[in-house]
Amino acid sequence: MIDVHGVLLLSPANYYLLSSIITAVALACLYFMLTRLRRARWLEDTPTSKVRSAAQGLVELQGTLDAGGHTQLISPLGEIDCLWYRFRVEEYRRSGKNNNWHTVEQGSSDRPFLLRDDTGSCWVMPSGAEVHPRHCRRWEGSQRWPAGSSVKKGLLATLIRKRYRYTEEWFAEGELLYALGWFESRGGGRDEFDRQAAARQVISGWKADYDDLLTRFDRNGDGELDMQEWERVRQAADGEAGRLARVDGQRPLVHALGKPPRRGLPFILSDHHEEDLAKRLRRGAFLGLVGLVISAPLACWFWVG
């Protein structure tokens, strides 16, 4: 048995288990505090850009949510019209004296939607984003997968059937969107076109139908392409690559915002105002600090015992 400062008497297994748990909690609180504080600083220190004049790379945008010509999504639990959703289904399980909610279903949509401001529009790719939606609904029922109004409610249904809790969050069309992420533009003549690579790809495609290639370029009819004939093939492919370059330069300019290519950079989406979101993140950092102040000394107290 291990005597912990004359207060607790624990077996070695329980001592190391409890010490490890408290240490893990302290480390989790530290990580939570630092990540929330860092995100709040990103929000406060990054100036808001307009879509038309935004630089390539990490930018902050604010605008209106728009479906971009698509029909709206329907959330899977509450059947709400929206542009993005996230849901979770939890089951209430009893195990002896322990009663807990266990997640049995969860997911989110990843279909792009538009952010519009007074200068233009930008496609937002929500996959991988840290999302802070204002709209959140939570309710309970007796089915694992609710079907709108058919979800059973009431005390009798709760006692007889299993108990489930549903949580759903979403973005609604026409509302404000704050976005901090990686901005890229394509088309409009801004992209570099590799004409040599395009010519090689054209030749590769022609070789796939070699009989047609011979019909077009085998001038002497010997069933093979000599050096002069291959030179004509390369010239024709270069001409086709030039045509493809002109077509590529005429593509409309499209802006997109998504997850940064490097780790450590933020990708945040929210329909809160920027100031409100920064305050929420700082409150989260403060809660992490409180947890750290409580758990870190306790962990040290255990380990030095």
Side-chain angles (χ1 to χ4, degrees), residues 17-291:
L17 176 62
L18 189 56
S19 300
S20 299
I21 291 175
I22 296 174
T23 302
V25 170
L27 293 174
C29 290
L30 176 63
Y31 175 80
F32 187 82
M33 178 192 71
L34 293 178
T35 54
R36 291 297 181 272
L37 185 60
R38 187 179 185 188
R39 281 161 174 73
R41 292 293 302 273
W42 276 112
L43 265 64
E44 295 165 347
D45 296 344
T46 305
T48 303
S49 302
K50 294 292 187 179
V51 170
R52 181 183 298 172
S53 57
Q56 304 297 289
L58 188 68
V59 300
E60 174 183 293
L61 300 174
Q62 290 194 52
T64 304
L65 283 157
D66 190 281
H70 298 292
T71 57
Q72 294 194 58
L73 297 173
I74 299 177
S75 63
L77 301 183
E79 299 181 348
I80 299 169
D81 291 337
C82 58
L83 300 186
W84 174 89
Y85 62 78
R86 180 169 59 202
F87 72 93
R88 183 172 66 253
V89 179
E90 299 167 283
E91 180 183 341
Y92 191 71
R93 295 177 181 174
R94 296 178 176 87
S95 178
K97 296 182 179 180
N98 297 322
N99 300 325
N100 296 301
W101 289 101
H102 294 267
T103 300
V104 293
E105 300 274 359
Q106 62 181 346
S108 62
S109 64
D110 58 3
R111 195 184 77 177
F113 47 82
L114 277 181
L115 180 153
R116 293 188 184 275
D117 65 13
D118 55 358
T119 67
S121 60
C122 172
W123 286 103
V124 178
M125 315 298 178
S127 179
E130 178 184 325
V131 187
H132 300 269
R134 285 191 304 112
H135 297 291
C136 179
R137 182 189 175 199
R138 177 174 290 176
W139 72 105
E140 294 185 14
S142 57
Q143 301 181 46
R144 178 163 177 160
W145 197 261
S149 59
S150 65
V151 176
K152 303 297 182 183
K153 298 181 179 179
L155 178 60
L156 182 61
T158 302
L159 293 174
I160 296 176
R161 301 187 180 184
K162 290 184 177 181
R163 183 180 171 191
Y164 292 96
R165 182 169 66 185
Y166 319 106
T167 303
E168 198 164 60
E169 302 167 293
W170 67 92
F171 284 156
E173 186 174 25
E175 297 192 343
L176 173 74
L177 178 69
Y178 170 87
L180 177 62
W182 196 259
F183 183 84
E184 292 182 323
S185 302
R186 293 286 183 267
R190 299 183 58 163
D191 299 334
E192 292 185 7
F193 189 87
D194 191 337
R195 184 161 175 166
Q196 292 183 346
R200 289 193 297 269
Q201 189 173 5
V202 168
I203 293 175
S204 178
W206 288 348
K207 284 182 178 179
D209 190 352
Y210 196 72
D211 291 338
D212 180 69
L213 188 65
L214 288 175
T215 300
R216 294 174 59 189
F217 296 101
D218 184 14
R219 300 295 178 86
N220 56 19
D222 63 353
E224 295 181 356
L225 296 176
D226 57 29
M227 295 296 294
Q228 291 182 344
E229 290 165 342
W230 270 116
E231 182 60 30
R232 295 191 187 96
V233 171
R234 285 190 287 270
Q235 291 175 359
D238 185 68
E240 177 64 13
R243 185 189 69 81
L244 294 174
R246 291 190 294 274
V247 171
D248 184 77
Q250 294 172 358
R251 287 188 301 148
L253 182 62
V254 177
H255 306 292
L257 189 83
K259 186 177 181 179
R262 298 192 301 273
R263 291 188 61 183
L265 296 178
F267 181 27
I268 302 173
L269 303 176
S270 176
D271 53 359
H272 294 274
H273 286 279
E274 179 182 357
E275 295 80 6
D276 295 336
L277 180 57
K279 289 178 181 178
R280 286 166 59 91
L281 291 171
R282 287 193 174 275
R283 283 197 297 269
F286 177 75
L287 292 177
L289 176 61
V290 171

